[in-house]
Amino acid sequence: MKIFLSYSWADSQKADSIESFFHSIGISVIRDINDLKYRQHLRSFMSIIRDCDYSIIIVSDNYLKSPNCLFELIELYKEKEFQGKFIPIILNKTKIYSIENKLEIIKYWQEKVESTKNIISNFEPTKTISLIKELKHYETIYSEIDHLLVTISEFKNISFSEGNKTNFKDIIEFIGLENPDIKIEISRIQEIKDQETQDIKLEKLKKKYPGNPNILFAEGYINLAQRKNYRKAKSFFEDYLKIEFEHSALNNMGLCLQNLEEFDKAKEYYENALKINSTYETYYNLGSLEAKRKNYDMAISYWLKSVEINPNDAVSLFNLGKLYTDVKGDFENGIKYYKKSIESDSHLKEPYSNIALIYIRQNNFEEASTYLEKSIEINPNDYMAMYNLGTIYQNIKGKQSKSKPLYRQSIRENPNYVSPKVGLAKLLILSGGDNEEAKELFRDVLKLEPENNDIKNLLAYFEK
């Protein structure tokens, strides 16, 4: 069974959660096209939906105000045979049921149409061709949004929080999974933190449903994803694949073998998985495999394929930035993919620091400081970013005074990190500050690095 997942990029964390749940019970989730551009790849999009058994829509304020999401969804709703396949999940704060709620959304699109018309009216038609196309899309949404809202509200919908509480029981029953009770019980067992209790529950389930392949899959998944017991997981997936030869199990088997460093066999399983379903996760795994083998060009090609399928794959985007920077020395592409990873997931801290390091190499200290400041904002305990930012501020006019507090903060966060101690000691000496504190900092460094001859010489010089 295949399920297509439609959502706004702004709700990608909720999409990740839903995808993870269905994968854990062995159901393929396809997110191949997220937040499509207007009319771009519509035939491809429709083809994907036709190939899927169901489509889950994450309905949110972001979704209902996204022209890209709504335009494509409206096109799909015109094809009546697809309506029976759609399963809306309503994010908790989204209101679509009352007349007032619907009118608020309709009003939003009315104002969008009117404001775009006003902008266009101030220019010559030949200068606003792209805006005219955009206006037509807005008008299509405005004319259809009422029908769309009524259609969605007529479904027996569940909220995201309700789905989480019940392990999406309503959806499992709606899509008619064989033995839905097993799937629900398995999902509850997977949530148990205590390993011994989890094993007891699994044994009881096996006695209740002897020889059931879903339990085999669950045991493989638990050992792979939760316990990192790759040999045991491999054994369960081997047995499962004798019964059902399907994408999720093949992909998971590849992961087991990759972690056991059986790379050729892992690649074979990934390639078989792609023959059944070309997902970005499998391309991501292939990229990771080839990176481990130091086949960097192949790793780049697989990660590029991953982000082609899912432009919101922040980890693949980050990995591309890292390979282009560290292996290829291609800073332009490095910055490009790091920035794309931030656009996909603004909470990732590593891209900010890595972009800053590139700008430092290029002596672009203003840009470097901007990204390091953001890194510290996301992770207030990032002692390395504090040290780097303190060093950068010494090169920016008007910000030199900020260096000392950052060095001190870095030292407080990690007293064993020597760089801010050395930096602060040198800064104290150069600025005519407290030489005794500087010498004490050098002594602290020597406790951590007794063979550091540079610090030995500096300390000996100042102790004279």
Side-chain angles (χ1 to χ4, degrees), residues 45-83:
F45 182 75
M46 298 295 285
S47 175
I48 289 168
I49 292 291
R50 287 190 185 99
D51 290 341
C52 289
D53 300 287
Y54 296 95
S55 177
I56 292 175
I57 309 165
I58 301 178
V59 181
S60 67
D61 288 335
N62 296 315
Y63 196 96
L64 295 172
K65 292 179 180 178
S66 164
N68 300 341
C69 291
L70 283 186
F71 184 79
E72 298 304 337
L73 187 58
I74 285 167
E75 290 299 305
L76 289 168
Y77 265 88
K78 290 176 183 176
E79 302 207 8
K80 303 269 185 194
E81 66 268 23
F82 292 123
Q83 291 193 21

Side-chain angles (χ1 to χ4, degrees), residues 108-247:
Y108 172 85
W109 286 105
Q110 180 187 33
E111 290 174 353
K112 200 81 172 169
V113 169
E114 289 172 357
S115 63
T116 307
K117 279 181 179 177
N118 289 336
I119 292 169
I120 291 171
S121 66
N122 294 320
F123 297 91
E124 296 176 21
T126 56
K127 306 296 183 185
T128 57
I129 293 172
S130 62
L131 277 177
I132 291 169
K133 287 181 180 178
E134 193 167 338
L135 173 61
K136 286 180 180 177
H137 298 311
Y138 291 167
E139 288 174 334
T140 300
I141 293 169
Y142 177 48
S143 65
E144 298 286 346
I145 188 66
D146 178 51
H147 168 70
L148 180 62
L149 291 171
V150 169
T151 305
I152 292 174
S153 60
E154 283 175 349
F155 280 86
K156 185 189 176 216
N157 300 320
I158 64 165
S159 70
F160 181 78
S161 60
E162 289 170 341
N164 267 340
K165 285 178 187 174
T166 62
N167 299 104
F168 298 100
K169 180 180 178 181
D170 289 343
I171 293 177
I172 288 173
E173 290 176 347
F174 176 77
I175 62 181
L177 281 180
E178 187 181 348
N179 299 319
D181 290 339
I182 298 177
K183 301 277 189 184
I184 294 162
E185 285 188 61
I186 285 170
S187 64
R188 287 174 181 157
I189 289 169
Q190 287 171 342
E191 291 175 356
I192 296 170
K193 303 299 181 187
D194 180 68
Q195 185 171 319
E196 187 176 356
T197 306
Q198 201 175 48
D199 286 335
I200 291 168
K201 295 282 188 183
L202 280 168
E203 285 303 315
K204 286 183 179 179
L205 198 63
K206 283 194 279 189
K207 287 177 183 177
K208 188 176 178 181
Y209 303 103
N212 189 282
N214 295 308
I215 302 170
L216 271 178
F217 186 96
E219 289 182 297
Y221 187 85
I222 286 168
N223 278 284
L224 169 64
Q226 295 180 6
R227 302 182 184 178
K228 314 300 180 190
N229 190 337
Y230 303 119
R231 292 194 185 282
K232 203 167 182 179
K234 173 187 171 186
S235 175
F236 285 119
F237 284 122
E238 280 176 337
D239 290 343
Y240 178 86
L241 286 164
K242 290 173 187 174
I243 303 168
E244 294 189 24
F245 196 77
E246 57 87 34
H247 170 268

Side-chain angles (χ1 to χ4, degrees), residues 167-399:
N167 299 104
F168 298 100
K169 180 180 178 181
D170 289 343
I171 293 177
I172 288 173
E173 290 176 347
F174 176 77
I175 62 181
L177 281 180
E178 187 181 348
N179 299 319
D181 290 339
I182 298 177
K183 301 277 189 184
I184 294 162
E185 285 188 61
I186 285 170
S187 64
R188 287 174 181 157
I189 289 169
Q190 287 171 342
E191 291 175 356
I192 296 170
K193 303 299 181 187
D194 180 68
Q195 185 171 319
E196 187 176 356
T197 306
Q198 201 175 48
D199 286 335
I200 291 168
K201 295 282 188 183
L202 280 168
E203 285 303 315
K204 286 183 179 179
L205 198 63
K206 283 194 279 189
K207 287 177 183 177
K208 188 176 178 181
Y209 303 103
N212 189 282
N214 295 308
I215 302 170
L216 271 178
F217 186 96
E219 289 182 297
Y221 187 85
I222 286 168
N223 278 284
L224 169 64
Q226 295 180 6
R227 302 182 184 178
K228 314 300 180 190
N229 190 337
Y230 303 119
R231 292 194 185 282
K232 203 167 182 179
K234 173 187 171 186
S235 175
F236 285 119
F237 284 122
E238 280 176 337
D239 290 343
Y240 178 86
L241 286 164
K242 290 173 187 174
I243 303 168
E244 294 189 24
F245 196 77
E246 57 87 34
H247 170 268
S248 293
L250 289 165
N251 184 66
N252 289 342
M253 186 65 169
L255 274 171
C256 294
L257 293 163
Q258 181 173 327
N259 282 287
L260 293 168
E261 297 191 351
E262 298 180 44
F263 296 130
D264 289 335
K265 286 184 181 178
K267 188 167 185 176
E268 186 180 329
Y269 276 94
Y270 288 143
E271 287 173 345
N272 282 327
L274 288 172
K275 289 175 185 176
I276 297 171
N277 187 5
S278 296
T279 63
Y280 78 92
E281 296 99 327
T282 303
Y283 280 113
Y284 168 80
N285 291 338
L286 277 164
S288 299
L289 185 151
E290 296 300 348
K292 278 190 175 182
R293 297 208 282 193
K294 301 190 187 320
N295 295 332
Y296 298 120
D297 287 335
M298 291 190 74
I300 286 172
S301 69
Y302 284 127
W303 282 329
L304 285 171
K305 186 67 178 174
S306 174
V307 299
E308 179 186 331
I309 292 172
N310 178 14
N312 204 33
D313 181 7
V315 180
S316 287
L317 290 163
F318 172 78
N319 289 344
L320 283 166
K322 192 163 179 59
L323 276 194
Y324 275 117
T325 301
D326 297 349
V327 177
K328 297 287 189 180
D330 183 347
F331 299 139
E332 184 179 348
N333 268 319
I335 289 173
K336 170 185 168 183
Y337 284 104
Y338 282 143
K339 285 184 176 179
K340 283 189 174 185
S341 72
I342 290 168
E343 288 170 12
S344 298
D345 185 354
S346 61
H347 295 94
L348 283 178
K349 68 181 180 64
E350 291 85 356
Y352 292 101
S353 296
N354 290 11
I355 290 173
L357 291 173
I358 294 173
Y359 283 131
I360 290 169
R361 289 186 189 186
Q362 298 172 342
N363 293 324
N364 189 342
F365 300 118
E366 288 285 356
E367 284 290 338
S369 67
T370 300
Y371 282 94
L372 284 173
E373 286 162 1
K374 186 65 179 177
S375 178
I376 295 168
E377 181 185 324
I378 293 168
N379 180 16
N381 302 317
D382 190 345
Y383 59 89
M384 292 183 72
M386 292 168 191
Y387 164 70
N388 288 328
L389 185 56
T391 304
I392 287 170
Y393 278 157
Q394 292 182 54
N395 295 282
I396 301 175
K397 188 176 180 181
K399 293 188 177 181

